[in-house]
Amino acid sequence: MEVKKIMAALEAKHPGEKEYLQAVHEVLESIEEVYNQHPEFEKAKIVERIVEPDRIFTFRVTWIDDQGQVQTNLGYRVQFNSAIGPYKGGLRFHKAVNPSMLKFLGFEQTFKNALTTLPMGGGKGGSDFDPVGKSDSEIMRFCQAFMLELWHNIGPDQDVPAGDVGVGGREIGYMFGMYTKLARQYNTGVLTGKGATWGGSILRPEATGYGALYFAEHMLAKAGKDLKGKTIAVSGFGNVAWGASQKAKELGAKVIAISGPDGVCHVADGLTDEMIDYMLEMRASNRNKVEDMATKFPGKAVFTAGKKAWSIKCDIALPCAFQNELNGDDAKELLANGTWCVAEVSNMGCTPEAIKAFQDAGILFAPGKAVNAGGVATSGLEMTQNAMHLGWAGEEVDQKLHFIMESIHNACVKYGTQPNGKVDYVKGANIAGFMKVAQAMLEQGVI
Ligand code: 2IT
């Protein structure tokens, strides 16, 4: 396999699919050496097959807004790879959603899910529907119209969507309600991230953020460090940033910055429990403004318009919002301010330039597909509970989440330890995930 040749062919086939090509390039670069030691992979053309989704559904979603106007959006489901289990991955509602974004997310999801130790393939979906400024009734009508199209292509052993940016418990509820009405079956395991009284797993809302901090604990311990008293900058204020902030505080760190599309809030004394709770209200309001934190807690949170979380001096940076939200310039600023650990909690949160800057500087860096896998892992645990028609206590779920994050860290160390003894977490995560999916594809023949 030659990365350059494969990338050139993909670029010609999928021109302009920036995020998708970026995600594929990162994985291929990491696995090239190991792949070329396996002639059986080359013979079965595993790389050529693994970079293309199994199939993509595209559909029109029509709904009526509060003014009585007809609105049309595009909906998608990318069923990327089902070599190790049913398609599994979230739905993203965001105005910038397009096939490139969902293909990158589905591709990443395939390897992330392989890392979780659970039997889940990779999928992703969503819509260019923009939740910002929408009323609750509009959100409900859109979710129902979206499910009217999607329901036929999903199922507990077929494809199991969940939340992502713009899709949380509320949206999953509206979609599940419509699914049940259409299917005339109470298929609990068809979606994850459900409410706790109707098949949802305890801790699923917190799991992405909690898992990220468990992973960070292991990464820091391996480097002889810990979280106690460390300052953390977090981007975003959605579900992921909320869970990460909660756990960071619980483990003795101080979250001193959160950000949004409008700017950053500097919280010199660290987020309080009250402020962390308020993040949920900010998310539910659909205003998408981090300034609301400063308005609610004057004097404690200081808002600066147009700045990112990465402008605040911190020990640890946790991108928790969107792909490519931390670029080369941001990396320089963080490094100049003495940041010594960056853990991507968002999917592909850092640009290739930023990752290179962190790696060149020799600071701790771990990629999203390892760090944020606790979310989908807990979705996998929700599927298990649904299949057994029972629910576990929070302690049991948390214990399993701990075990999974430790296993992912171990896999990164196994496949990513360099001759100098340092761990390349990007390489480690990519190789560990790839090897599992590639081997399964090989054993299942050319299909
Ligand atoms: O990016 C992700 O892993 C998610 N949005 C969660 C997917 C899931 O199926 O829980």
Side-chain angles (χ1 to χ4, degrees), residues 52-73:
E52 295 285 356
D54 288 353
R55 65 193 68 80
I56 303 178
F57 299 107
T58 306
F59 46 92
R60 174 170 50 76
V61 185
T62 308
W63 56 284
I64 296 181
D65 69 18
D66 286 349
Q67 284 70 48
Q69 302 287 321
V70 176
Q71 297 288 343
T72 300
N73 288 100

Side-chain angles (χ1 to χ4, degrees), residues 391-426:
W392 291 324
E395 295 77 40
E396 186 155 4
V397 179
D398 199 33
Q399 194 190 352
K400 288 183 162 64
L401 177 60
H402 265 290
F403 169 80
I404 289 168
M405 297 318 295
E406 187 179 1
S407 307
I408 298 173
H409 186 265
N410 289 344
C412 290
V413 171
K414 178 176 171 196
Y415 288 99
T417 300
Q418 301 303 291
N420 65 6
K422 282 197 169 187
V423 183
D424 180 337
Y425 285 90
V426 175

